[in-house]
Amino acid sequence: QVQLVQSGAEMRRPGASVKVSCRTSGYIFITYNIAWLRQAPGQGLEWMGLISPYKGKTTFPQRLQGRITLTTDTSTSTVYMELRSLKSDDTAFYYCARNLAGGPLDSWGQGTLVTVSS
Amino acid sequence: SYVLTQPPSVSVASGKTARITCGGNNIGSKSVHWYQQKTGQVPLLLISYDRDRPSGIPERFSGSNSENTATLTISRVEAGDEADYFCQVWDTSSALVFGTGTRLTVL
């Protein structure tokens, strides 16, 4: 069955960087995009970016341009999300989710809590 | 950027029908997807492409989309349906947009 397994919780100081992984299985890796979302405590869902493992093409919201990088490792069917220059309001659960272009997010990782605190 | 507006909360008695709306400019021209998120859990795809139910989703959940409003309808509401519900679309610049979310309370 389709599975997306994310790396464990992280704690960082303001100004640092964090890299979260999302290891996929149960389907052909390059045939689906991977989206990254986050959810601050008690808040809604926020889209952070999208990567196509087939071509490596990425799309990001304007507000995160320059602070986020998405990469893939096709040998392990893993996607990585790196967020730099962390601030306290980056504290959130971060999710990866599988997506066909224009379609829904049909499978989700379990979430990774990133805490940014001095 | 494209904005999706949902009511912050909807309350319904057990066994009745709940309707959760998702408003957006000409949203009827887009495909709307709905997610359910119970407390402490990962969001779950509930409805795709306006009205399609993924395998395992009960028939009590249905969707519609027309003009400026998409609607998620939950028939015969159960206590276990208490959750946050989010609508989602892709806008014309290939950005993923979520609604503000609606908390469903079952009375």
Side-chain angles (χ1 to χ4, degrees):
Chain A
Q1 75 279 24
V2 175
Q3 284 192 305
L4 285 72
V5 179
Q6 299 180 222
S7 48
E10 303 274 9
M11 185 171 289
R12 293 287 187 273
R13 303 288 190 198
S17 300
V18 69
K19 194 169 187 177
V20 180
S21 67
C22 173
R23 187 179 78 248
T24 72
S25 61
Y27 70 98
I28 299 173
F29 180 60
I30 60 172
T31 59
Y32 284 80
N33 300 325
I34 294 292
W36 285 85
L37 310 308
R38 70 180 177 184
Q39 187 173 38
Q43 301 301 307
L45 293 164
E46 179 186 3
W47 174 62
M48 298 190 66
L50 181 81
I51 186 165
S52 164
Y54 177 62
K55 296 184 177 179
K57 182 182 176 194
T58 54
T59 310
F60 305 110
Q62 185 77 19
R63 67 184 183 282
L64 288 177
Q65 291 276 1
R67 269 217 306 148
I68 186 171
T69 301
L70 299 182
T71 55
T72 63
D73 181 346
T74 54
S75 68
T76 60
S77 301
T78 301
V79 179
Y80 298 90
M81 184 281 298
E82 182 181 31
L83 189 62
R84 298 177 290 279
S85 303
L86 290 168
K87 301 170 281 190
S88 58
D89 59 5
D90 290 319
T91 294
F93 276 95
Y94 288 73
Y95 297 100
C96 60
R98 191 182 78 158
N99 159 254
L100 273 174
L105 305 172
D106 66 355
S107 291
W108 293 63
Q110 82 276 21
T112 297
L113 177 61
V114 175
T115 303
V116 183
S117 174
S118 55
Chain B
S1 61
Y2 194 74
V3 176
L4 295 174
T5 302
Q6 299 182 235
S9 62
V10 168
S11 298
V12 64
S14 179
K16 299 300 185 183
T17 297
R19 292 179 180 84
I20 297 172
T21 58
C22 175
N25 185 33
N26 198 26
I27 195 174
S29 67
K30 302 180 184 297
S31 292
V32 179
H33 315 297
W34 289 92
Y35 303 87
Q36 176 194 64
Q37 186 180 30
K38 297 183 179 180
T39 301
Q41 295 188 17
V42 177
L44 172 71
L45 177 63
L46 205 59
I47 296 286
S48 62
Y49 299 104
D50 297 342
R51 60 181 66 246
D52 294 342
R53 277 187 314 276
S55 174
I57 301 300
E59 290 184 9
R60 301 186 298 106
F61 294 90
S62 62
S64 63
N65 184 18
S66 178
E67 298 184 351
N68 294 311
T69 304
T71 303
L72 172 69
T73 301
I74 310 172
S75 305
R76 302 180 300 283
V77 167
E78 304 173 355
D81 297 332
E82 201 160 88
D84 293 322
Y85 293 83
F86 298 92
C87 56
Q88 177 250 309
V89 302
W90 291 90
D91 79 6
T92 52
S93 61
S94 299
L96 195 161
V97 180
F98 283 102
T100 46
T102 298
R103 179 72 187 175
L104 177 68
T105 299
V106 180
L107 304 172

